Amino acid sequence: MVELKDVSVKYSNGVDALDHVSLKINDGDFAFVVGASGAGKSTLIKLLLKEIDATSGKIIVNGYQLNTLKKKEIPALRRTIGIVFQDFRLISSMTVYDNIAFVLRVTDAPVPHIKKRVPYVMNLVGLQEKAKSYPDELSGGEMQRVAIARALVNDPQLLIADEPTGNIDPELSYEIVELLKSINMQGTTVMMVTHEHELVRRFGGRIINITAGQIAFDEIMEGTDNEI
Amino acid sequence: MVELKDVSVKYSNGVDALDHVSLKINDGDFAFVVGASGAGKSTLIKLLLKEIDATSGKIIVNGYQLNTLKKKEIPALRRTIGIVFQDFRLISSMTVYDNIAFVLRVTDAPVPHIKKRVPYVMNLVGLQEKAKSYPDELSGGEMQRVAIARALVNDPQLLIADEPTGNIDPELSYEIVELLKSINMQGTTVMMVTHEHELVRRFGGRIINITAGQIAFDEIMEGTDNEI
Amino acid sequence: MKFSSIRYLTEQGVENIWKNRMMSFASFCVLLVSLVLVGISILAWQNVSSMIGNVESKNEVIVYLNDNTDQENLNRIEGILRNLPNIASLDFYSKEEAYLALKNRMSDYDVLFESLGDDNPLVDSFRIQIEDISQMSKTISQMESIDGIMNISAPYEFVSFLTQLRTVLTWVMTALIFAMLIVSAVIISNTTKTSVYSRREEIRIMKYVGATNAFIRVPFFIEGMITGFFAGCGALLITWLVYDTVMNILENQATLLNIIGVGSLVTFQQIYLPMTLSYLFGGALIGAAGSAFSTEKYIDA
Amino acid sequence: MKFSSIRYLTEQGVENIWKNRMMSFASFCVLLVSLVLVGISILAWQNVSSMIGNVESKNEVIVYLNDNTDQENLNRIEGILRNLPNIASLDFYSKEEAYLALKNRMSDYDVLFESLGDDNPLVDSFRIQIEDISQMSKTISQMESIDGIMNISAPYEFVSFLTQLRTVLTWVMTALIFAMLIVSAVIISNTTKTSVYSRREEIRIMKYVGATNAFIRVPFFIEGMITGFFAGCGALLITWLVYDTVMNILENQATLLNIIGVGSLVTFQQIYLPMTLSYLFGGALIGAAGSAFSTEKYIDA
Ligand SMILES: Nc1ncnc2c1ncn2[C@@H]1O[C@H](COP(=O)(O)OP(=O)(O)OP(=O)(O)O)[C@@H](O)[C@H]1O
Ligand SMILES: Nc1ncnc2c1ncn2[C@@H]1O[C@H](COP(=O)(O)OP(=O)(O)OP(=O)(O)O)[C@@H](O)[C@H]1O
Ligand SMILES: [Mg+2]
Ligand SMILES: [Mg+2]
């Protein structure tokens, strides 16, 4: 569950990235977040991860009160969240396999589980053949899919994806969103930032539009996919 | 002018990224390059920049024979090309202004010219207010637009854009493609890699489809934009 | 933390050495150089103090007895002298021995002795070695109060030379060792800092996916420890070579050796065990600590 | 390259120092430490050789003349001696002077001289200082062939001690300076390499947009030069402080100073000009060269 109460973010250079935003995403929801470039979508995500702190307002993520969260507890918070960053953020010194497995290793997961789970998620995103490649040896779309696999691997409570299809062709994009949908069906809350209106139109669901740091629109729309 | 004659690229880990590709893009052309993730589009671009060398085949870019080009002449080649990288590649220690101005500075451009030209291109991509920001302080779409501005700034003979709209909302994407089109009108050859079929459908023109390292399709199509 | 995690982190540490081989090599070199500098400074200090000790032990206070002292008085004086504190050794030196030695020493002045004939104008004496030469004046004033003593000749100037030399050398060597420690600390901390700095992105990303500080640190720690250990091995080898070379050069300098005393040189064999241990443990420890401290900054960012 | 470019690149270099202040500080420290090490080693070497020179000049060869040599022979021998090569100075020392000195020196043996009365058994002599003591034996054999000479007393042992001491010290000091140079080279090159390594991405990107190697390098060069210059300033200050402190300690050691010779110490005033220049230029040069060389690797990648 994600809850923001009257949250504002002002960056040190004076940019008001978020302006009194209140928002609640319940457990098991699937929400698209859309909005123009620079509207504050990634800022919202940084807040949820406690990568930055809100200038004012309260945030609760998966039961963690972020305002009062101690530094030491941040890893625990982050382990409940799977995240696909807009700029991928893969560890360049690790292979694809290790990039994904790392998330399990930090949680002390048993080795046999890692050995089963990692190939499974690599398969989900179609990267089984790239296990031993390093991020530098991947195409843009492949890196993005590694990032998606990494976010999925530890079965997070909340999955946040920031433009997870920005570098992927339309066919694959649909597959990815369908993957996220099926994960959502199993109970994971999903929040997906995207600027591809076609995807949103097709799948429908809850759509949150952020414009200039404010929530301009937050409604549930029918997807065209269901009609076809 | 870009000409590839029977070019293959095999990466050191055995991946055949390009497989006997022949291609000619004349001066003044505008070509969309499409294809699935991992098809070899970015590899093609790396070749044109001489970031990597072809395993076999001949490449000519803007009159430079890349096979026989000496290391010392690479900067001269690159100055005739403006490029938008898929992963932006901004210099993180320089402001937006300096990232763009740098391209002019390396060519010993006169200071008054720099002072006029840089704000002009920043304005084209709508970033006039971010001149003093560092790349870390930008949103994904903003970084992408800085990359576009940087590619335009020195009025290159050939402009290559690798997914220049991957992080930009649809409205802005149209504007960007229109910008590229107008630059093309002034004589610059433009090659734009994209996976947004909607854009391609709307604008039309020459469409090169790369599939699994080979050219699967290379034709001129009418855009729907002209009809509306 | 489970065993599998510890194993994984250890493997990571080992792998990182190779992955970041440029940085590892830099740390290795810097640590090696630092260890060699500190090690050789300490060895030099040991040798110099042992030499000073040796030269010191050659000092002699001579107590001249009244002319024609009889055996009884001789014994009495010897007894008192032996009971004085701060006396290392005491030898009786009869006037006959003294005369012969003088004649030998002054062979240039043979004429002088010929004119004396069999007449021996010298007196009996005790030759005394002082334990702590900085306490010499006190000991001598105690001797002066003894009955039957004609004269005491003490190497005041020699002693003051030695104490002063020792003061200066102690200063210089202490400063040297301190300087080397500071130098080492500066370059080691800078190198490990830079090494971690160049991987700050990696560290940031690890934190994003929920890695605890310990999880990030352990591989750095192990990496530093192993690099440090090998630097210790290298330093040991170099120190040994250098030391051996210097000793060989010294051995060819017979007169010099004679003056400073052959026995006062510390041979490598005498110290190789503590040295080996200090180098290896020291290297591993400094390497590990350096890495652990330098990660702190980027881990909390 | 146009003036505006050069100005821009210079500004970049200056800016980069601040932007990469952690790295700049690391380079600064390392360079400073290296300069201080090398500088102090060289100063120490200068002082030690000046001391040895001073002690050497105190050596004396004494040429004893036959008993009752007349003035004519005296002049003849003096003439021959003065014309010999390798003679630094020559003093006549009459047998009367010698007798007085001997008496003073051997005050413990007063009785001996009393028994002689007014009889002076000594002979006239020349006290000669040798220029190059390693050539002493040759000079002495030349003296021996002169008529009217009774005996020559040469400080063979002292000379061999000095030559050996000099050999060892030359070895040790040369090794020290070399070691410090190597140490400095290792740590400076590692630090600059790491510094450039941490900016390899930046360099790669610059090349993508058509920057020539020179264009990328100049700011690094200037950055290194400025950092080096300031390291030179710092090193100068530290060296000065250290030197002054050591000199102060030495000045309190009167006896020691007397033996090694006060004049043989090199004061800071005597050398501050060449030292200042070497430190500042050396710092700037090494800084600039270090940066320039380290960029090479990443520039060609
Ligand atoms: N670290 C920062 N310091 C200062 N300003 C920042 C920083 N990060 C983002 N901004 C500014 O805050 C605003 C919102 O940025 P954000 O990244 O949230 O946009 P976004 O909605 O994700 O856009 P996009 O779709 O382009 O990724 C932008 O104007 C951006 O320039
Ligand atoms: N440096 C490299 N070393 C090894 N293999 C590489 C390297 N770079 C790319 N590849 C592989 O070559 C193939 C083509 O990559 P390329 O980046 O050209 O794809 P692309 O068409 O740009 O894909 P995308 O749309 O996802 O960016 C991919 O399978 C990729 O994994
Ligand atoms: Mg964003
Ligand atoms: Mg690509």
Side-chain angles (χ1 to χ4, degrees), chain D residues 179-195:
Chain D
M180 288 305 154
L181 284 175
I182 291 172
V183 164
S184 304
V186 167
I187 57 181
I188 290 170
S189 90
N190 276 319
T191 314
T192 52
K193 247 190 237 156
T194 14
S195 159

Side-chain angles (χ1 to χ4, degrees), chain A residues 49 51 71 75-76 78-79 83 85 89-94 98 102-103 105-106 108-111 134 150, chain C residues 1-2 4-5 8 12 15-16 19-20 201-202 204-213 215-216 300-301:
Chain A
L49 270 188
E51 181 181 341
K71 261 194 181 171
R78 289 181 178 167
R79 286 175 193 182
I83 181 148
F85 291 96
R89 303 200 187 164
L90 304 179
I91 299 174
S92 58
S93 64
M94 288 187 187
D98 284 328
F102 188 78
V103 177
R105 288 187 178 123
V106 300
D108 258 349
V111 176
Y134 285 90
R150 183 177 64 182
Chain C
M1 227 178 253
K2 282 200 293 186
S4 65
S5 289
Y8 166 75
Q12 281 296 300
E15 256 181 49
N16 282 348
K19 277 190 190 158
N20 305 287
E201 260 313 297
E202 207 175 308
R204 267 185 64 199
I205 297 173
M206 289 177 174
K207 297 215 69 176
Y208 283 135
V209 300
T212 54
N213 291 352
F215 203 87
I216 296 173
D300 283 336

Side-chain angles (χ1 to χ4, degrees), chain A residues 11 13 15 17 36-43 46 86 163, chain B residues 130 136-142 167:
Chain A
Y11 283 111
N13 60 356
V15 177
S37 173
K41 306 180 296 294
S42 299
T43 302
K46 285 187 212 163
Q86 196 170 2
E163 305 271 15
Chain B
K130 298 286 177 188
D136 282 349
E137 302 170 352
L138 297 180
S139 78
E142 286 162 352
N167 288 278

Side-chain angles (χ1 to χ4, degrees), chain C residues 262-275:
Chain C
V262 189
S264 70
L265 290 180
V266 184
T267 64
F268 201 77
Q269 278 65 37
Q270 288 175 281
I271 44 165
Y272 86 102
L273 197 69
M275 241 187 75

Side-chain angles (χ1 to χ4, degrees), chain A residues 12-13 15 35-39 42 46 86-88 130 133 136-143 145 162-163 165-173 195-198 201, chain B residues 12-13 15 35-39 42 46 86-88 130 133 136-143 145 162-163 165-173 195-198 201:
Chain A
S12 56
N13 60 356
V15 177
S37 173
S42 299
K46 285 187 212 163
Q86 196 170 2
D87 52 358
F88 319 146
K130 297 286 177 188
S133 297
D136 282 349
E137 302 169 354
L138 299 179
S139 78
E142 288 161 351
M143 283 196 260
R145 283 179 280 155
D162 196 353
E163 305 271 15
T165 60
N167 289 277
I168 298 178
D169 46 297
E171 293 74 36
L172 207 50
S173 298
H195 71 266
E196 302 202 44
H197 292 191
E198 188 131 0
R201 230 175 287 140
Chain B
S12 55
N13 60 356
V15 176
S37 172
S42 298
K46 284 188 213 164
Q86 196 171 1
D87 52 358
F88 318 146
K130 298 286 177 188
S133 296
D136 282 349
E137 302 170 352
L138 297 180
S139 78
E142 286 162 352
M143 283 196 259
R145 283 179 279 156
D162 196 353
E163 304 271 16
T165 60
N167 288 278
I168 297 179
D169 46 298
E171 294 73 37
L172 207 50
S173 298
H195 71 267
E196 302 201 44
H197 293 192
E198 187 131 1
R201 228 175 290 141

